[in-house]
Amino acid sequence: MEDIDGNNVLAQALKKQGIEYVFGIIGYPVIELSMALQMADIHYIGMRNEQAACYAAQAIGYLTGNPGAVLVVSGPGLLHTFGGLANAQINCWPVLVIGGSAAQDHEGIGGFQECNQVELARPYCKYSARPPSISLIPLHVEKAVRLTKNGRPGAAYLDFPANILSGRVPVDSIPDQYGPTAAPIIYPNPGAIQEAVAVLLKAKRPLVIVGKGAAYARAEKEVRELIDSTNLPFLATPMGKGVIPDTSPKCVASARSLALQRADVIILLGARLNWILHFGRPQRFSPDVKVIQIDICAEELHNSVKSEVAIQSDMKPAVAQILEGLQRNKFVFSSQNEWWRELEKKCQDNKKIVQAMSADVSTPLNYYAVFHNLYEALPDNCIIVSEGANTMDIGRSMLFNNLPRHRLDAGTFGTMGVGPGFAIAAALYCRHYEPNKRVICVEGDSAFGFSGMEVETMVRYKLPITVVVVNNSGIYTGMEPEIFKDIQESGEITKVTPPGCLSSVTRYDNMMSLFGRVGFFVQTVPELKKAVNEALKIKDGPTIVNVIINPTADRKPQTFNWLTESKL
C-alpha cells in the first residue's frame, strides 16, 4: 500500500486550506518540508530573519484576506517569530506559524533546541497546538487557518516534532478534510442601527473615524457611499487611509486635533479607542462626546469609554444600514454648517504651515521637503510601506493614499523592523495580483537597521521595491558629523556617545553594491527627484535611495504631546 510522510501531509493540507505563501528560514527539522511545500504548488520565500518572515506573512494576510504562513526551525527559530506573532495578534492580521520541534522521544532528556513551544506561543495566538499524529494534521491545519480569519483576525501556531514530519503512514489512513469555509457575516441589531441614526440626526459636530478594520473588511464601497451621501467630515487611522481617498475634500486630517477635541458625535468604523486615538478621553476628546462604535469583536465594545451606541457587526452591512436610515430621513450635513467652516479654516491654517516647511529646500533637508517632493515623484496609487518615528508619523500626513490597503506601517503595536518584510509581501502581492503597481518602502534609518539585510531577499526574488531611507543619523534625532566626532573623542566612548545617535551620514545606498547594483545618495531636492525617477525604472529588483536630512529636523508644533496620557 502506498504511504506518505508527515511533510507531504502537512504541505497538502496547507494547500487545501488556501495557503499560497510561506515565508521562512529552513534548517533541522523542516528542510524536507520546505521542498514539499513547493511540490504542493505553494510559493516559498526564504527570508534572512524569522521575525521579518512573520511580518511578511501577516502582511500578505492583510492584503489578500487569506493568511500567509511562516516556516521556522525549533527553539530559537520559533522564539524569533514572537515579535511578529504579537504584532499580528494585536494588529488583527491573519498569520499561521509552523514550527519544527524536537523529536518526541528526545523530550525531557535535553533534545536539540528542545523547549515548550506550544505553551510559549500561546499568549501570542488565538490557537496554539501540536497535532498528536500524522493523520490528524489536516484537522489541525483547517482549524488553525479558520481561526486566523474568523471573528477578529489574528495568529495561530502549529508545532511539528521531527518524528511527526518524517514519519510515514498509509495514504488511506489520512481522513479527507473539508477545505476553507467562508467566514460568517455578522449582521447588526436593527434596534442599534436605529439608535445610531437617531444620534447622528441630532449631531451638531459629527465626525467619522475610519479604521483599519474597515480596510480589512473591504468595506470601502459602503464607507465611501456614506461619506459622499451625507457630507460628513472624516478622519482615517494610519492604515484606514485610502478607504476614502486622502485627497477627498471631506477629509479633515489637517485639522485632526480640533476634529477630535470638538466633535459631539463620533462614529468609529473599525477603529479602536486605544493609544492611536488617545483612548477616547479628554483632553483629546470632548468629555460629552457620544460614540457610535461598530466592531466585529464584542469584547472591543465600550473599551476605554462607554459608547452611546455599540454595534457588533461586520462593517459592510452596518454601514449600509446606517446610510439607509440617514437617507430615509433625507440627512445631508450642510457644507455651510458652522462645524464645517471651523474645520475647513483649521485645515487651511495647518496646510499653510506645512507648505512653508515643504518649500524650505535648504540643505540639509527637512522631513516636509523630502516627503512633498517624494510624493510628487511617485506613480499613482503605489503601495506605501513606512516605519520610523518622525519618518512614519510625518509621512502619514504627506504621502497620500487614495485606495484602501495601500499603506502598511508599524500599526497598533508600534513595531519597528516591519518595513522590509511588509514590502516583500506587498511586492509579491503586486506581482501576482496587480503587476503594474509599485511598492515604496519609506524607512527611518534606525528602523531600517532592524531588518535591512532583507534587501538581499528582495534581490534574490527580483522584487522591484524602492527603499527610501530618510537618514537623520539617529533615533528621533542625530548629530552633525563634526559634533558627533568631537563628543565621541571627549571621553570613554560608551559613556559619552548619546544613546539616540547612530553613525553620521551612513551610506546605506552602498549596500546595493553587495549585489552588483547601484543605490542613490541624495542630499538635495533635485537629486531626490532624479534618484526616485531612476529607481522606478528598475523592474528586476530593489534599490535604495539614501536621503540625508538635518539630524535635528522635527515635525511641526503639535497641540498635544504625541502620546496623551489617558488620565488627562
Side-chain angles (χ1 to χ4, degrees), residues 316-392:
K316 288 185 177 185
V319 174
Q321 290 179 30
I322 287 175
L323 177 56
E324 288 173 9
L326 293 173
Q327 288 176 331
R328 280 196 299 270
N329 288 274
K330 297 181 170 56
F331 173 84
V332 177
F333 194 68
S334 172
S335 297
Q336 302 306 310
N337 187 285
E338 183 181 346
W339 177 230
W340 255 124
R341 292 180 177 180
E342 191 176 351
L343 290 170
E344 287 173 343
K345 182 181 184 302
K346 189 64 174 179
C347 282
Q348 291 304 316
D349 290 345
N350 283 340
K351 285 177 180 177
K352 288 177 182 177
I353 297 172
V354 171
Q355 287 167 357
M357 298 176 78
S358 301
D360 178 7
V361 295
S362 59
T363 57
L365 296 169
N366 68 71
Y367 286 103
Y368 295 87
V370 170
F371 287 131
H372 172 72
N373 289 281
L374 173 61
Y375 180 72
E376 287 195 336
L378 295 181
D380 291 340
N381 297 323
C382 53
I383 294 179
I384 297 173
V385 178
S386 187
E387 62 172 332
N390 288 334
T391 298
M392 181 176 64

Side-chain angles (χ1 to χ4, degrees), residues 40 46 58 100 120 130 166 173 178 314 329 356 359 388 393 408 415 548:
Q58 65 194 257
L120 288 171
R130 170 190 285 184
S166 63
S173 70
Y178 47 83
D314 276 85
N329 288 274
D393 292 340
L408 308 173
T415 307
I548 306 302

Side-chain angles (χ1 to χ4, degrees), residues 54-315:
C54 199
Y55 296 144
Q58 65 194 257
I60 276 286
Y62 175 65
L63 291 168
T64 66
N66 200 46
V70 187
L71 178 63
V72 296
V73 301
S74 51
L78 173 66
L79 296 177
H80 289 168
T81 69
F82 284 0
L85 268 174
N87 190 71
Q89 185 72 355
I90 292 171
N91 225 24
C92 306
W93 286 1
V95 71
L96 171 62
V97 174
I98 299 160
S101 59
Q104 289 167 304
D105 58 340
H106 291 183
E107 290 179 349
I109 55 174
F112 176 66
Q113 295 183 333
E114 177 190 351
C115 66
N116 193 353
Q117 297 178 186
V118 174
E119 291 306 315
L120 288 171
R122 199 178 301 281
Y124 310 106
C125 296
K126 295 177 70 176
Y127 182 64
S128 181
R130 170 190 285 184
S133 66
I134 295 175
S135 64
L136 287 174
I137 288 174
L139 181 148
H140 283 273
V141 170
E142 186 281 328
K143 183 174 182 179
V145 171
R146 173 163 44 86
L147 266 59
T148 65
K149 297 186 295 183
N150 284 13
R152 173 177 280 178
Y157 172 66
L158 290 178
D159 192 70
F160 293 94
N163 60 295
I164 293 286
L165 291 174
S166 63
R168 305 188 73 87
V169 296
V171 170
D172 63 1
S173 70
I174 306 299
D176 195 25
Q177 185 67 45
Y178 47 83
T181 53
I185 298 175
I186 300 174
Y187 284 87
N189 182 324
I193 295 294
Q194 292 174 7
E195 289 180 44
V197 170
V199 171
L200 282 167
L201 290 174
K202 296 178 182 178
K204 303 296 184 184
R205 296 182 301 279
L207 178 68
V208 177
I209 299 179
V210 182
K212 178 174 72 252
Y216 184 82
R218 272 68 176 166
E220 51 268 20
K221 177 178 178 292
E222 290 77 7
V223 175
R224 291 183 183 193
E225 288 178 353
L226 173 68
I227 297 299
D228 290 342
S229 298
T230 62
N231 196 45
L232 290 169
F234 79 91
L235 294 170
T237 64
M239 278 184 281
K241 284 162 58 69
V243 172
I244 312 167
D246 286 343
T247 52
S248 166
K250 299 174 182 64
C251 178
V252 294
S254 296
R256 183 179 189 272
S257 290
L258 174 68
L260 295 179
Q261 193 176 25
R262 296 264 295 131
D264 66 346
V265 173
I266 289 176
I267 178 167
L268 290 176
L269 304 181
R272 291 175 276 180
L273 290 177
N274 55 19
W275 66 272
I276 291 177
L277 287 175
H278 319 288
F279 314 103
R281 300 181 181 185
Q283 303 170 352
R284 294 304 295 264
F285 289 75
S286 166
D288 300 320
V289 66
K290 295 179 178 179
V291 176
I292 300 168
Q293 185 181 15
I294 304 173
D295 202 284
I296 197 170
C297 179
E299 289 81 357
E300 188 61 40
L301 302 176
H302 305 293
N303 189 39
S304 185
V305 298
K306 186 178 186 299
S307 295
E308 185 74 12
V309 184
I311 304 171
Q312 183 191 14
S313 175
D314 276 85
M315 196 58 54

Side-chain angles (χ1 to χ4, degrees), residues 367 388-390 393 445-446 472 474-478 500 550-554 562:
Y367 286 103
N390 288 334
D393 292 340
D445 51 329
S446 172
N472 73 341
I475 303 171
Y476 300 111
T477 59
N550 190 327
T552 58
D554 204 354
W562 166 73

